């Protein structure tokens, strides 16, 4: 099977690329710097069975100067990919969404501008699905983590300061997080791709949740890290305010991806990160 990836240099993209290659997939990539001509050449020569769209620009809280890059990365680039697909009659597409698009359990109320751009692109996807008979699976992710994660996320920070005298300043820590291990996440993308390629998906556009069912507060997550690592982690809770429109828990408004379930617990994942 053949898949064309965007966002292949990101944390999820790199892990997905390795996972699919190990399972015998043939892979190609499209980057933000590719022109429409470049995209057309790749679509025509590679002829993917499915396009998996991972490319994104994440900003939990944006500044005014971030707006052009957010629009370009999260809306314009993906739309250009869709246009190229239509030109070459490639009609299977997997998109990566975020549960941050569902602020306080409301499906059409994003929590921040980043999430709003993801929702805007989802609307564009629905147009292409309807107008061009494109089949789309929209995978809604929560917090991903795993070994060698270069992103400035909470879990890598906790692991890096464990057993040291460094302190991390955090909010009150009542946010509930559905930590989802990267190995489980990449498996979900393959399951979704196979559903499209094998024509197992009845709907033209469908959203599925891809998250662990294990939920821990930020405070509980810190304590679990300490238990697994056997090291003290110094955290000053309550020294930072919650973000404006803080996401206080995962809002699973879509069914879980059929044929997939998260297998790795947070304790197992922390252990894997320690040895990874």
């Amino acid at each position: 099977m053949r898949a064309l990836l965007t966002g292949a240099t990101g944390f999820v993209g790199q892990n997905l690329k390795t996972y699919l290659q190990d399972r015998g997939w043939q892979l190609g990539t499209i980057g933000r710097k590719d022109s429409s001509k470049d995209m057309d050449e790749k679509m025509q020569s590679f002829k993917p069975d499915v396009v998996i769209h991972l490319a994104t620009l994440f900003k939990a809280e944006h500044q005014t100067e971030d707006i052009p890059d957010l629009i370009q990365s999260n809306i314009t680039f993906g739309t250009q990919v869709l246009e190229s697909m239509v030109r070459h009659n490639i009609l299977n597409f997997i998109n990566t969404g975020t549960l941050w698009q569902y602020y306080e359990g409301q499906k059409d109320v994003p929590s921040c501008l980043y999430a709003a751009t993801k929702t805007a692109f989802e609307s564009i996807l629905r147009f292409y699905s309807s107008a061009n008979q494109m089949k789309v699976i929209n995978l809604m992710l929560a917090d991903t983590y795993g070994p060698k994660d270069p992103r400035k996320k909470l879990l890598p920070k906790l692991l890096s300061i464990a057993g040291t005298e460094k302190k991390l300043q955090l909010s009150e820590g009542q946010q509930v997080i559905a930590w989802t291990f990267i190995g489980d996440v990449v498996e979900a993308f393959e399951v979704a791709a196979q559903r499209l390629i094998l024509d197992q998906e009845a709907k033209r556009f469908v959203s599925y949740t891809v998250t662990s069912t294990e939920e821990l507060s930020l405070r509980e997550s810190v304590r679990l890290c300490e238990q697994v690592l056997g090291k003290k982690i110094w955290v000053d809770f309550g020294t930072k305010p919650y973000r404006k429109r803080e996401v206080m828990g995962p809002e699973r408004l879509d069914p879980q991806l059929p044929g997939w379930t998260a297998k790795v617990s947070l304790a197992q994942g922390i252990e894997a990160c320690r040895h990874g």
Side-chain angles (χ1 to χ4, degrees), residues 168-229:
L168 190 61
Q169 294 185 332
L170 296 177
S171 66
E172 289 291 344
Q174 300 303 323
Q175 307 95 312
V176 174
I177 304 169
W179 301 101
T180 311
F181 188 67
I182 188 62
D184 288 332
V185 173
V186 296
E187 182 182 339
F189 278 95
E190 185 185 32
V191 170
Q194 289 175 334
R195 287 185 67 82
L196 291 176
I197 294 169
L198 300 177
D199 203 27
Q200 296 173 333
E201 190 55 65
K203 297 180 180 179
R204 284 287 169 190
F205 183 103
V206 63
S207 287
Y208 291 123
T209 298
V210 174
T211 70
S212 171
T213 56
E214 180 184 21
E215 297 184 0
L216 289 88
S217 71
L218 193 153
R219 284 178 176 264
E220 291 169 333
S221 301
V222 173
R223 287 197 293 268
L224 182 60
C225 282
E226 291 180 322
Q227 292 171 11
V228 173
L229 300 176

